[in-house]
Amino acid sequence: MQQLIVILLVAIAAAFSVWKLMPARRRLQAMLALDAWLAHRDFLQGWRTRVLARRIQSAAGPGCAGCAANTVPPHQRPR
Amino acid sequence: MKTPDSAATSARLPAATLAELPDGREGVVAGLTQVAGLDGDQASALITRLRDLGFVAGAQCKVVARMWPGGDPIAVRVGGSTFALRRAEALAVQLGAS
Amino acid sequence: MDAAVATRSVRIALVGVPNCGKTALFNRLTGSRQKVANYPGVTVERREGERRAADGSEMRVLDLPGTYSLNPTTLDEAITRDVLLGRVAGESSPDLVVCVVDSVHLPIGLRLALEVKRLGLPMVLALNRMDVAKKRGVHIDLAVLAKELGVAVLPTIAVKSGGADALIEAIEPRQWHSLRTGGTAAWSAPSAEQAEQTQNDLRGLLQSVGYRAPPDNRLGERLDGLLMHPIWGMLVLAGVMFLMFQAVFSWAEAPMDLIDRGMAALGAWVGGALPQGPLNSLLVDGVIAGAGGVLVFLPQIIILFFFILALEDSGYLPRAAYLLDRLMGGVGLSGRAFIPLLSSFACAIPGIMAARTIPSWRDRLTTIMIAPLMTCSARLPVYALLIAAFIPDHSVGPFNLQGLVMFALYAAGVLSALLVAWVTKLFAGARRYSPLMLELPDYQWPNASNLLLGLWERVKIFLSRVGGIILALTIILWFLSSYPAPPEGASGAPIQYSFAGRLGAALEYVFAPIGFNWQISIALVPGLAAREVAVSALGTVYALSAPGGDDVSGQLEPLIAHTWSLATACSLLAWYVFAPQCLSTLAVVKRETNSWRYPLIMAGYLFALAYLASFVTFRVVSGWT
């Protein structure tokens, strides 16, 4: 039983790592493919319009909008 | 205030350009010139930007700090704001009689 | 116009010179409903927020980069102009422009307002910091200003709650029909006569509103006399940096100890609660020993950023740039490189992108290439671990030895960056002039709520990194370190038979000359994704290393202190000063320079320097101890 949980967790960790470390362009392609696939289905539409659409928009712009360390540079911080 | 004798006029000026203005002395901006050593485009862009920052004819300015050695950069107060300028930039600001 | 307003959300743009309080006002208008993204094609940040109007419609508020003029000198400023003119892909001109002007520095802000007015967009003027202006003896006749300028003028105090109420009322969509200013929508770089005209208009305006330049700020001047003095100023700068690192160690001790013990207790509890087996090992040796090992450094990160944010807010940083400008010029860096390089102390990635504000390609490239050498916050857990394990907690005079070593490591990063820049300069030839013209804003007490908000942002980023990629990679590493299981009757630690163990043994050939054992060699591999992972990887690897698979008690730090030599520890520290392995950084460099050449050069030179530094350090320290 423990083995099963462990395999599951490792698989999730692997998938997550691959996702995070993928080049941004591939990630965007993957998201667009997912979006296109969902367009013809009738589940997860709410998630698609809210979450996926936003993710695609921010990923489509260049720069580190998707990076966890994205912060405002000093010369643009509120004064 | 003008005097007919230009030598006397220059004798009353604290300095010819901002780069030579002693610390703490007030100067009045007379105009902006092209600085030798910069290519034409850079020199014009510099003049435009300096003017936008407030270095216009008649503006009062004061040097509040000077880096060592060589006075590069200097900190200048003009129009209520303070700016750090390179020596090359300060040379573009001509001072005149108040 | 009303129909258009009703059918789509309206867009309001905030425009103003840098340091006028525009972004604080933006925060007040949008609260937490903000989003930071990028303008298409460039890396200038696009800050947009939302606000609900009284009639329920959505208003989008855009915080444009600060600019001194619509005639741009940097990419930032060009973006502001382009957004206003509707030249940015996919966006038309904003529906309303709020021009933010600092009352204390009226001339420079008003001059920009005159330029913006000429664009003909609906406009209001927000006169900010009216309270400070009054205190400094600056009186502005608002009614006259509004009449002469022909736009609505609202006083605001962005930093006080309720201080923007007048503005909020004025930007309600139902008020807009009265706001057209009239003028041409097109824009071209002003000629000398037009510039002259603007100046004359400005002079007239300032006179009619009764503006007098504020008397010099005594306190500010006295402070500048000290802080910008060539000698005293430098000493103060060094002192401040020094103090920062001392604090990072001494203030963090108690909370770190707390987290450490919490993690140990959690590990013991989980280990006892679950029956022996792979899940138990995954959770205790993988998750808790691994990712938990990085979590313990949260207090230090908070303290470091507390100082950085406080310094930013206080207005000190441009003074530091002023002091360092000569030095930077001496190694061939533009004065404009100071801010990107400073950003790199958090993470090199935004720093590398901020280099886009440097006009000259050569200066920009140099800045990009040395940005990773500025000690990024991901190195902090590695430094902290090694220092805690190997540097005794002694005092050297009034200073703590551990804090001193931390400071020395940061200094080594900065010095190596300057050295590399200088070497680049030798190859590149004579330097030309590059612009400085940096505004030195008024000193102010750091705003407590800004500070807390900034710190909270940092905490969230750190926690999401730990709970995200660090945790994931640690789990994978655990898996690779636990399987395949050792054959029957094998001696030695089970980990040596696993995938990771074998890989580590192979890598050890490469790293043995610089004193790295196979555990370190293994830990460097996941460090490619995130430098801090080396700490969690070490945690996991050592947790799994007990011979015969017994439970490992005790934490990573004492383990390392006992099993590694001082030479190895110093060698690893030297390696991390250069730390060539962050893949995300290399990816950003590729994107910014549009070629593979520069990221490869960067990886190459960083690796060579790291290896060399580690080698020398290892040999020297071994010979000496």
Side-chain angles (χ1 to χ4, degrees), chain B residues 49 62 69 80 82 84 86 89, chain C residues 105 325-326 433-434 436 438:
Chain B
R49 182 37 59 114
K62 185 164 96 165
T82 315
R86 294 259 166 76
E89 293 155 355
Chain C
H105 302 293
D325 182 62
R326 207 57 193 297
Y433 155 78
S434 79
L436 184 64
L438 184 67

Side-chain angles (χ1 to χ4, degrees), chain C residues 249-262:
Chain C
F249 267 99
S250 42
W251 296 3
E253 247 183 87
M256 281 176 73
D257 203 41
L258 207 65
I259 298 181
D260 220 8
R261 279 193 271 152

Side-chain angles (χ1 to χ4, degrees), chain B residues 42 48-49 51-53 56-57 62 65-69 72-73 75 77 80-86 89, chain C residues 68-69 71 73 77 105 108 111 199 203 216 228 230 322-323 325-326 335 433-440:
Chain B
Q42 278 188 322
T48 312
R49 182 37 59 114
R51 192 182 297 127
D52 287 344
L53 293 183
V56 292
K62 185 164 96 165
R66 182 179 295 270
M67 200 53 190
W68 173 87
D72 187 1
R77 207 170 163 68
S81 307
T82 315
F83 297 96
L85 295 181
R86 294 259 166 76
E89 293 155 355
Chain C
Y68 290 105
S69 162
N71 199 3
T73 50
E77 298 185 342
H105 302 293
I108 199 169
R111 200 205 67 84
Q199 287 297 342
R203 229 192 312 263
D216 290 338
M228 302 216 296
Y322 161 89
L323 288 171
D325 182 62
R326 207 57 193 297
Y433 155 78
S434 79
L436 184 64
M437 287 187 285
L438 184 67
E439 184 172 357
L440 304 174

Side-chain angles (χ1 to χ4, degrees), chain B residues 1-95:
Chain B
M1 204 177 79
K2 284 190 178 244
T3 58
D5 187 320
S6 58
T9 307
S10 48
R12 283 186 216 187
L13 294 179
T17 70
L18 189 54
E20 289 108 28
L21 185 63
D23 293 9
R25 290 285 299 277
E26 289 267 347
V28 177
V29 178
L32 299 169
T33 55
Q34 298 251 348
V35 178
L38 265 50
D39 65 54
D41 279 339
Q42 278 188 322
S44 321
L46 175 61
I47 290 179
T48 312
R49 182 37 59 114
L50 283 174
R51 192 182 297 127
D52 287 344
L53 293 183
F55 289 94
V56 292
Q60 287 202 306
C61 58
K62 185 164 96 165
V63 173
V64 295
R66 182 179 295 270
M67 200 53 190
W68 173 87
D72 187 1
I74 60 173
V76 182
R77 207 170 163 68
V78 68
S81 307
T82 315
F83 297 96
L85 295 181
R86 294 259 166 76
R87 187 177 164 76
E89 293 155 355
L91 282 171
V93 181
Q94 283 190 320
L95 301 178

Side-chain angles (χ1 to χ4, degrees), chain A residues 64 67-74 77, chain C residues 297-309 312 342-351 375-378 380 450-466 532:
Chain A
C64 59
C67 168
N70 179 23
T71 56
V72 183
R77 285 190 212 265
Chain C
F297 295 106
L298 182 63
Q300 289 190 330
I301 300 236
I302 292 180
I303 293 172
L304 179 68
F305 281 103
F306 168 74
F307 276 94
I308 291 181
L309 292 174
E312 268 172 27
L342 192 70
S343 307
S344 303
F345 275 108
C347 171
I349 292 175
T375 314
C376 74
S377 61
L380 190 56
N450 274 351
L451 211 58
L452 286 174
L453 235 122
L455 276 180
W456 176 235
E457 214 178 271
R458 281 269 127 208
V459 169
K460 278 198 291 190
I461 288 171
F462 180 73
L463 290 178
S464 66
R465 249 168 106 80
V466 173
E532 317 94 303

